[in-house]
Amino acid sequence: RKEVEQDPGPFNVPEGATVAFNCTYSNSASQSFFWYRQDCRKEPKLLMSVYSSGNEDGRFTAQLNRASQYISLLIRDSKLSDSATYLCVVNMLGEYGNKLVFGAGTILRVKS
Amino acid sequence: SAVISQKPSRDICQRGTSLTIQCQVDSQVTMMFWYRQQPGQSLTLIATANQGSEATYESGFVIDKFPISRPNLTFSTLTVSNMSPEDSSIYLCSVGRDLYEQYFGPGTRLTVT
């Protein structure tokens, strides 16, 4: 089982749609969770951290379910500029200490 | 967030040769990391670059293949040694005030022929 699993997509949605991505992680001891965004041929950029109580940043809402080891990202009112790969990232304890483990990403394509 | 630059941005190298990638940050940072992103895949941590001491490598990565230097708090290098086509990848450095929020350089796109 992969440490962080995501549906690779692609998710093809029209502008204005609401879309949700899911992510599961294997290590129940993980404490920190993030969503990164990666545009084509660019470096990943931090989109938002995910807090236990859930958090919202404009059109983006992140949720964490520790019991199910599940993280979600909801995007409302999708824009063309939201087209990107969304990476689920989990802090895990490695051999030498904590490290970030990246999922393979979910591709989102927003079309006009 | 810090401004991070990497050199070179891309290179095409012959098998058996080595390439050194530089990562420069515009401010002092505690933590620097090197990742690899192979075509169509996500990021894999190669090592943590420790200032003034040896890098800490993840399972599957060894110092002889990927020697790393970090002479100060704003600069690090990663060398890909004795390259083979399987080393073709994007190599990214990242920095962070702590482990939890990392910022990535633009990456170095390496093709080994």
Side-chain angles (χ1 to χ4, degrees):
Chain A
R1 181 185 173 188
K2 290 182 181 177
E3 293 177 299
V4 179
E5 290 205 68
Q6 296 182 249
D7 181 344
F11 286 62
N12 295 301
V13 304
E15 274 186 292
T18 295
V19 62
F21 307 138
N22 302 320
C23 168
T24 57
Y25 59 95
S26 62
N27 189 332
S28 60
S30 297
Q31 295 294 319
S32 305
F33 310 89
F34 309 89
W35 285 100
Y36 277 70
R37 169 190 169 132
Q38 187 171 26
D39 292 286
C40 187
R41 302 176 81 85
K42 297 284 190 180
E43 72 274 19
K45 293 186 178 177
L46 179 64
L47 178 65
M48 59 195 304
S49 302
V50 185
Y51 302 120
S52 296
S53 55
N55 49 300
E56 188 174 307
D57 183 1
R59 297 182 292 109
F60 298 83
T61 300
Q63 295 278 354
L64 169 64
N65 183 322
R66 287 188 187 273
S68 301
Q69 295 177 210
Y70 167 98
I71 306 158
S72 66
L73 177 68
L74 181 78
I75 305 175
R76 291 181 298 277
D77 188 22
S78 299
K79 313 290 185 192
L80 293 175
S81 57
D82 293 333
S83 298
T85 298
Y86 290 83
L87 305 173
C88 175
V89 183
V90 178
N91 173 37
M92 293 191 181
L93 182 62
E95 187 174 353
Y96 299 103
N98 286 294
K99 64 175 183 178
L100 295 185
V101 178
F102 287 74
T106 298
I107 297 170
L108 172 65
R109 296 184 186 138
V110 181
K111 299 184 184 295
S112 59
Chain B
S1 61
V3 176
I4 308 161
S5 61
Q6 281 186 238
K7 290 182 182 179
S9 59
R10 59 178 63 231
D11 209 339
I12 301 173
C13 301
Q14 291 191 340
R15 69 173 68 208
T17 63
S18 298
L19 176 71
T20 295
I21 302 168
Q22 299 180 4
C23 178
Q24 178 76 55
V25 189
D26 68 343
S27 58
Q28 293 187 341
V29 291
T30 306
M31 309 191 80
M32 293 181 79
F33 306 89
W34 286 98
Y35 288 83
R36 180 172 74 182
Q37 187 171 27
Q38 293 183 304
Q41 298 188 29
S42 193
L43 286 79
T44 301
L45 180 64
I46 297 172
T48 301
N50 302 308
Q51 194 266 328
S53 64
E54 272 195 7
T56 307
Y57 289 84
E58 294 298 308
S59 177
F61 298 96
V62 295
I63 189 171
D64 289 347
K65 176 67 175 176
F66 297 101
I68 288 171
S69 77
R70 189 169 176 200
N72 56 53
L73 292 176
T74 64
F75 185 78
S76 178
T77 66
L78 168 75
T79 299
V80 186
S81 303
N82 188 24
M83 288 183 284
S84 66
E86 293 71 36
D87 295 320
S88 297
S89 187
I90 300 171
Y91 292 86
L92 301 112
C93 70
S94 77
V95 304
R97 178 173 46 85
D98 52 44
L99 172 67
Y100 303 107
E101 293 189 14
Q102 295 184 24
Y103 300 91
F104 286 83
T108 296
R109 188 175 297 269
L110 171 62
T111 302
V112 183
T113 60

